[in-house]
Amino acid sequence: MDEAFLKQALEFGQPYTERGEVASYIPELSKADGRELGICVRPIGGETVRCGVWNRRFTIQSISKVVNLAMALERFGFDAVFHKTKMEPSGASFNSMSRISDTEDIPFNPLVNSGAIAIVELLGPVGLEGMLSAFRGLCSDPDITMDEAVFQSEWTHSARNRSLAYLLQSKGLIGENVDETLRLYTQLCSLSVTAGSLANLGMLLANGGVQPETGRRLLKEEVVRTTLTMMLTCGMYDGSGEFAVRVGLPSKSGVGGGILSVVPGEMGIGVYGPSLDSKGNSVAGQRVLEYISRTEKLHILDRYTR
Ligand code: GLN
């Protein structure tokens, strides 16, 4: 995969930026330029390829849920995590309340807001500083910082997530520390990354948790397997099924416009395109990934037919 190919993929995706809108429910995010599009691809042991607006800093938003899940699995183990959430696609929007209402005792999965807030409660003792260094390490990006303006903007418009957090508390899934948990969840959504940082994280996951350059294991193999499975089945919210058919790669989106995609055993991909569809997924980013996956036969099931 070379830069000329990525240029073609971005050209294919570009017109789709017109079909979405930048997020506005977090007012600060509405300042993004919806026409921007960029990509970075990091093959294991190969040359990094980049194209378009790949080094724009934007907030990681829900892609933080991947790191939160991996860290919670790593530190507290499988049972502690899946005591807090199920492992099922919710088929509902990322901030749905209905999917954890009276009939459901626990959130559907760790990659929707309700599940992620429950997981972040586990990470309370790690704290913002500890999590920041985990994000920097896993993304091989020492320049990740918290975007204070985006944090404040979300924090002052967090009625929905606050309601979810109190609902979780009423079900005994989080304790007295609702405010602290929600603050940490929101701070972790406000970390600034680039398509490059996401590609680095993707490459680490593609390589089973071992950093290819140093040979250091940063995540256990089973943590990576569980995390990737959740990304494949639940990473694009209520668009996860169609995305799995069209692209077929474990991926995670965020309303900042990022998509993290993993080609297991081969490469990590980071995409930036802040114009979103109605589900909160980058509208052009998904098309770019579809183009790449189809052309290069990267769909995880293609490996059995190619
Ligand atoms: N911070 C956002 C929220 O909690 C993340 C949502 C997203 O990226 N889909 O609403």
Side-chain angles (χ1 to χ4, degrees):
M1 218 181 281
D2 58 10
E3 199 183 323
F5 173 69
L6 291 188
K7 191 160 176 276
Q8 276 170 28
L10 292 190
E11 278 167 9
F12 174 81
Q14 191 64 48
Y16 291 95
T17 60
E18 309 284 332
R19 301 205 188 169
E21 307 229 354
V22 296
S24 57
Y25 79 102
I26 299 172
E28 193 66 20
L29 295 184
S30 65
K31 294 182 179 166
D33 179 351
R35 288 161 305 183
E36 286 191 341
L37 201 52
I39 185 163
C40 177
V41 175
R42 291 220 59 196
I44 297 167
E47 284 284 303
T48 303
V49 201
R50 312 170 170 103
C51 195
V53 190
W54 67 270
N55 61 353
R56 161 89 57 238
R57 291 251 156 216
F58 59 94
T59 52
I60 190 167
Q61 298 299 336
S62 277
I63 305 168
S64 61
K65 295 171 168 110
V66 169
V67 174
N68 299 345
L69 171 61
M71 283 297 289
L73 286 166
E74 191 75 21
R75 294 254 184 145
F76 306 103
F78 189 90
D79 292 345
V81 166
F82 292 108
H83 172 72
K84 298 258 188 195
T85 85
K86 301 195 284 185
M87 312 174 201
E88 302 301 333
S90 69
S93 66
F94 63 80
N95 57 6
S96 167
M97 307 258 320
S98 64
R99 304 302 271 167
I100 51 160
S101 63
D102 294 343
T103 49
E104 298 294 340
D105 289 335
I106 62 174
F108 269 66
N109 65 69
L111 300 185
V112 290
N113 288 17
S114 55
I117 294 168
I119 298 300
V120 167
E121 201 222 22
L122 285 174
L123 296 168
V126 181
L128 179 61
E129 282 311 310
M131 286 303 291
L132 195 51
S133 70
F135 275 81
R136 287 175 177 155
L138 298 176
C139 295
S140 302
D141 180 358
D143 297 327
I144 294 178
T145 54
M146 195 189 71
D147 185 324
E148 189 65 35
V150 173
F151 167 71
Q152 288 300 341
S153 182
E154 181 165 12
W155 188 242
T156 48
H157 293 81
S158 60
R160 179 75 173 207
N161 284 339
R162 200 163 282 277
S163 316
L164 285 170
Y166 279 107
L167 187 54
L168 293 169
Q169 189 190 38
S170 77
K171 291 172 178 295
L173 289 167
I174 61 179
E176 292 306 308
N177 47 353
V178 174
D179 211 61
E180 282 161 49
T181 300
L182 199 57
R183 179 178 285 271
L184 182 56
Y185 165 85
T186 311
Q187 286 169 326
L188 297 175
C189 286
S190 307
L191 300 183
S192 66
V193 292
T194 64
S197 355
L198 297 180
N200 292 341
L201 173 59
M203 180 175 68
L204 177 76
L205 296 172
N207 201 37
V210 175
Q211 226 172 18
E213 307 93 328
T214 61
R216 273 182 64 212
R217 174 168 292 287
L218 301 188
L219 295 170
K220 293 186 195 96
E221 212 172 285
E222 70 259 32
V223 164
V224 173
R225 192 199 324 108
T226 304
T227 304
L228 289 178
T229 310
M230 289 288 92
M231 289 167 67
L232 183 66
T233 53
C234 311
M236 307 296 283
Y237 308 114
D238 44 337
S240 299
E242 182 170 344
F243 188 84
V245 172
R246 292 185 183 278
V247 181
L249 296 174
S251 300
K252 181 76 204 82
S253 60
V255 292
I259 304 180
L260 157 70
S261 279
V262 178
V263 187
E266 293 186 42
M267 67 187 87
I269 306 176
V271 182
Y272 173 63
S275 177
L276 308 179
D277 68 12
S278 60
K279 294 173 177 169
N281 297 324
S282 171
V283 63
Q286 293 176 95
R287 294 299 176 157
V288 169
L289 288 165
E290 186 178 354
Y291 182 91
I292 292 174
S293 174
R294 245 176 227 281
T295 315
E296 296 286 298
K297 285 198 163 288
L298 297 179
H299 191 297
I300 55 170
L301 297 179
D302 278 344
R303 70 181 49 185
Y304 299 103
T305 50
R306 80 181 140 181

